[in-house]
C-alpha cells in the first residue's frame, strides 16, 4: 500500500510541520503560532475475540500516534465497517463502547463517525489532538548518547496469531489484551517532562522497524539489548516460525542487511524483535543525564523501566542488536 | 446503523458546540474563543465507473459537510479499503489523485490516511476544518418567511442506479458526475455573506429528509415547490420504480405521514424528492430581505438560483409539497 501512496504528489505547506511523506506516526498542521493539530487515522479487522476488547484496542492504538508525538487527543471520529444482517448489532454496540471508553480515558471526545455496511467487520478512529509546535517529538532528534526505553512489552503479533490458531489461552491472552488496551498517555507525559529527544510508537513494523525509522531520521545507529526487552508472557515460547504473522516476515525481509546481529542473538529473540505490534509501547530516546530520573518515573508509574538500548554515532549499520 | 449508534451515551461537553446527537452534517468543537474545529468523515464503495471520478466525488461529498456549516476545510486524512492483488494498483492511484485534487481545490491539505486490504473497494476522507464559533450554520435557525434555495440539481441516486443497470449513458452521466464532483464552496461563501439562517447539504436522506431535519431542528414547516426544483438531465425520465435505490425507498418510508403532498404532485416528482443524493447541493434558508441579492449572487456564479421553497410557521406537517 505504501508503494501506491508514494506515487502521489506530496503535500507541501509551511504549516504542515510533519507530513505523511515522513515515516512519523501522525501529521502535524499548525493553526496558530502556539497551536497545531496532530492527526491520525487507523482501523482494522478484529484481532481478539471479544468485541469490547477489540474496540478498546483499536482506539488505544489510534490514540497512541498522537501521544507518541507529544500531543493531547481532543476529538475522535468512529470508522465502522459492519456486516449488517449477518452479525448481531450488539457486537457493534460493544465495540463502540470499548472505543468510547478509551477515547474518554484519553481526555478526548467522540464527535461523530461513519459506518458502512461491509462484508468484513472493521473498526477504528480518526483522532485529532492539539500540540505545541515548539514541542513536537518525532523520529528525528535522537542523539548519540541517548538512552532508549520501551514502555510496553513486545509480542502482541505472536500472541494474536496464536489466539487465531487456538494455541494460547488464559493469562497470556489476558495480559496481552491488558497491554494493547493500555494508553500510552502516561509514558508520553513523562517523556515530555524529561525532555526526550525522539519518540515513536511501536506498531506494525515491529521494534526494529520503528527503531530503523528513528535511525534514518536522526542519522544515528540504534543499539538494542535483546535481553533487556520487556516481553509479554509466553512471547518467547510462541516465537516459533508457525506463529510468525505475515507482517513479521515482511519486517524481516525489509530490514535485511540493515540490522547487525551478534552471533549470540537467539532466533526466538530475533522473531520478537521483528514482531509487528498492535497498540505497542513508545520507544523513547532520552538524553543520558535525564535517563535516571526518567527510569524512576517509569517505575513509579508501573511501566517497563529497563534501558533497552542506546543511540550511537551512525556506523555501517542503522541497527545493531546487542 | 443509526439505531446502533443511538444506544451509546452521547458525548456532552461545553466545547462540543454541535455534536453527533443532532442530525447535523459535521461536529463542531471549540478550541479557543474564536476558533472551533469542524469535523466529519465519509467513505463508500464506487458509485461511478471511473476511479478518478469516484475519488473526486467521495472527497467533494465529505468536504461538503464542512462547507454546509460555514467552515473552511483545512486537513484531510484518506480512508482506503482496497482489494490488494485483485485490482490493479493504478486504480487506487487514480482514486487518490481525484481525491487530492478536490481537497486541494477546497484549500485543504491531505496530511495522512490509512489503507487496509479489503474485499470491497472503498474510499473516503476524514475532513477537519476551522470555523468561527459565532458563525456556525446548522439545521436550527430557519425562520418563517425565509426563502429556500438548493444549489445543485437533484437526481444523483436515480442516475447512479441507472448507471449500474446500464440504463443511461453519455451526457446525463457526465452532467451528474460534474455535479457530484463540484464543491459546495462557492454556495457556502455566498450563504455566509448573505446572512443565511440555516443550511444543510443534501445527501443520503434526499431533499425531503434533510428538509425534515431543518423543520424539526428549527420548529418550522418547510414548503417545497416541486416544479421549481433544479433537476439533473434525465432525472425525471429515470424517476420510475425500477431505478429507485434502496435508500430512496427507506427515505419514503421514514417520512411517511410527515409530508403533505397536494394531489397534483406527480409521482415522478415524489420519487425525485426522496431520491438519496451523493455530494448534493446545499439547502439554504435565507432571510426574505436578503433573498433577492442571494439569488443574483447564485446566478452570477452559475449556480441554480430558483426559490425552491419557503419556511412557514410550524403546522400539522413538518413538510408541505407545493
Amino acid at each position: 500500500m505504501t508503494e501506491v501512496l508514494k506515487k502521489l504528489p506530496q503535500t507541501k505547506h509551511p504549516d504542515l510541520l510533519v507530513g505523511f511523506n515522513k515515516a512519523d506516526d501522525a501529521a502535524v498542521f499548525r493553526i496558530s503560532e502556539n497551536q497545531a493539530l496532530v492527526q491520525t487515522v487507523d482501523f482494522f479487522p478484529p484481532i481478539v475475540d471479544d468485541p469490547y476488547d477489540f474496540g478498546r484496542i483499536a482506539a488505544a492504538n489510534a490514540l497512541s500516534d498522537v501521544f507518541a508525538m507529544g500531543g493531547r487527543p481532543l476529538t475522535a471520529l468512529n470508522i465502522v465497517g459492519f456486516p449488517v444482517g449477518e452479525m448481531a448489532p450488539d457486537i457493534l454496540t460493544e465495540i463502540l463502547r470499548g472505543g468510547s471508553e478509551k477515547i474518554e480515558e484519553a481526555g478526548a471526545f467522540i464527535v461523530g463517525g461513519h459506518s458502512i455496511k461491509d462484508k468484513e467487520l472493521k473498526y477504528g478512529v480518526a483522532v485529532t489532538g492539539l500540540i505545541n509546535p515548539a514541542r513536537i517529538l518525532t523520529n528525528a532528534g535522537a542523539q548519540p548518547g541517548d538512552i532508549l526505553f520501551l514502555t510496553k512489552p513486545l509480542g502482541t503479533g505472536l500472541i494474536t496469531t496464536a489466539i487465531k490458531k487456538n494455541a494460547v489461552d488464559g493469562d497470556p491472552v489476558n495480559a496481552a489484551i491488558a497491554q494493547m488496551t493500555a494508553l500510552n498517555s502516561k509514558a508520553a507525559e513523562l517523556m515530555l517532562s524529561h525532555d526526550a529527544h525522539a519518540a515513536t510508537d511501536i506498531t506494525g513494523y515491529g521494534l526494529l522497524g520503528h527503531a530503523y525509522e528513528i535511525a534514518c531520521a536522526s542519522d544515528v545507529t540504534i543499539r538494542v539489548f535483546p535481553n533487556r526487552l520487556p516481553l509479554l508472557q509466553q512471547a518467547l515460547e510462541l516465537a516459533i516460525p508457525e506463529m510468525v504473522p505475515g507482517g513479521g516476515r515482511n519486517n524481516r525481509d525489509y530490514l535485511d542487511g540493515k540490522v547487525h546481529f551478534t552471533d549470540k542473538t537467539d532466533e526466538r529473540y530475533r522473531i520478537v524483535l521483528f514482531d509487528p505490534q498492535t497498540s505497542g509501547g513508545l520507544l523513547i530516546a532520552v538524553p543520558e543525564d535525564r535517563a535516571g530520573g526518567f527510569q524512576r518515573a517509569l517505575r513509579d508509574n508501573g511501566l517497563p523501566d529497563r534501558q533497552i538500548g542506546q543511540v550511537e554515532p551512525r556506523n555501517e549499520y542503522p541497527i545493531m542488536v546487542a
Side-chain angles (χ1 to χ4, degrees), chain A:
Chain A
M1 279 310 207
T2 314
E3 203 177 311
V4 176
L5 292 168
K6 270 188 195 150
K7 283 190 199 165
L8 280 176
Q10 299 293 331
T11 301
K12 279 191 188 138
H13 189 275
D15 288 325
L16 183 59
L17 306 181
V18 181
F20 73 124
N21 46 338
K22 301 221 182 125
D24 274 298
D25 307 302
V28 179
F29 198 95
R30 181 166 48 203
I31 55 172
S32 68
E33 203 184 324
N34 48 19
Q35 234 175 5
L37 302 181
V38 47
Q39 301 194 289
T40 187
V41 55
D42 206 356
F43 53 94
F44 43 81
I47 54 163
V48 294
D49 294 332
D50 183 78
Y52 167 68
D53 286 339
F54 171 48
R56 291 195 297 157
I57 292 168
N61 182 70
L63 288 161
S64 180
D65 289 330
V66 173
F67 288 129
M69 307 197 78
R72 180 170 62 86
L74 189 67
T75 65
L77 299 163
N78 281 320
I79 290 168
V80 175
F82 196 73
V84 179
E86 291 167 43
M87 221 175 250
D90 284 356
I91 292 176
L92 181 52
T93 308
E94 282 297 289
I95 293 171
L96 294 173
R97 184 170 71 87
S100 298
E101 204 176 282
K102 284 290 147 181
I103 298 293
E104 198 177 318
E105 184 187 333
F109 305 92
I110 302 249
V111 299
H114 186 67
S115 52
I116 189 172
K117 185 174 173 177
D118 204 339
K119 286 184 186 165
E120 300 164 305
L121 176 62
K122 47 191 79 86
Y123 172 66
V125 279
V127 182
T128 296
L130 291 176
I131 195 166
N132 179 341
R135 300 210 62 193
I136 301 167
L137 276 167
T138 68
N139 284 323
Q143 293 173 25
D146 286 354
I147 306 296
L148 293 170
F149 294 88
L150 175 64
T151 68
K152 285 189 191 179
L154 295 171
T156 65
L158 295 162
I159 305 268
T160 54
T161 305
I163 293 173
K164 279 178 207 143
K165 299 191 173 193
N166 292 313
V168 68
D169 205 351
D171 284 352
V173 172
N174 295 335
I177 289 171
Q179 288 297 333
M180 288 188 285
T181 58
L183 295 182
N184 281 324
S185 46
K186 190 41 116 176
E189 184 191 318
L190 297 177
M191 76 181 184
L192 287 173
S193 61
H194 289 79
D195 301 320
H197 284 157
T200 190
D201 67 334
I202 306 302
T203 54
Y205 299 144
L207 177 65
L208 294 193
H210 292 282
Y212 175 69
E213 289 175 345
I214 292 186
C216 294
S218 302
D219 194 26
V220 294
T221 285
I222 301 280
R223 184 180 295 273
V224 175
F225 310 123
N227 56 342
R228 295 206 193 159
L229 291 172
L231 300 178
L232 282 170
Q233 197 182 335
Q234 291 283 320
L236 274 191
E237 289 80 352
L238 292 168
I240 51 175
E242 303 90 288
M243 297 302 162
V244 174
R249 286 190 297 273
N250 294 345
N251 291 342
R252 198 158 184 164
D253 290 348
Y254 179 70
L255 292 176
D256 188 40
K258 293 164 183 139
V259 182
H260 179 265
F261 287 100
T262 65
D263 291 345
K264 284 183 283 183
T265 313
D266 186 273
E267 172 61 17
R268 286 178 188 258
Y269 277 99
R270 296 185 194 217
I271 288 175
V272 168
L273 286 161
F274 291 115
D275 188 46
Q277 305 297 289
T278 299
S279 191
L282 302 185
L283 177 63
I284 305 171
V286 181
E288 208 173 357
D289 61 347
R290 304 301 304 274
F294 186 62
Q295 188 169 38
R296 279 190 298 279
L298 289 171
R299 191 180 311 144
D300 291 347
N301 285 281
L303 295 167
D305 65 346
R306 275 179 292 184
Q307 304 186 0
I308 65 117
Q310 62 196 36
V311 181
E312 301 181 352
R314 179 61 178 255
N315 68 35
E316 188 187 348
Y317 293 99
I319 310 279
M320 311 278 287
V321 175

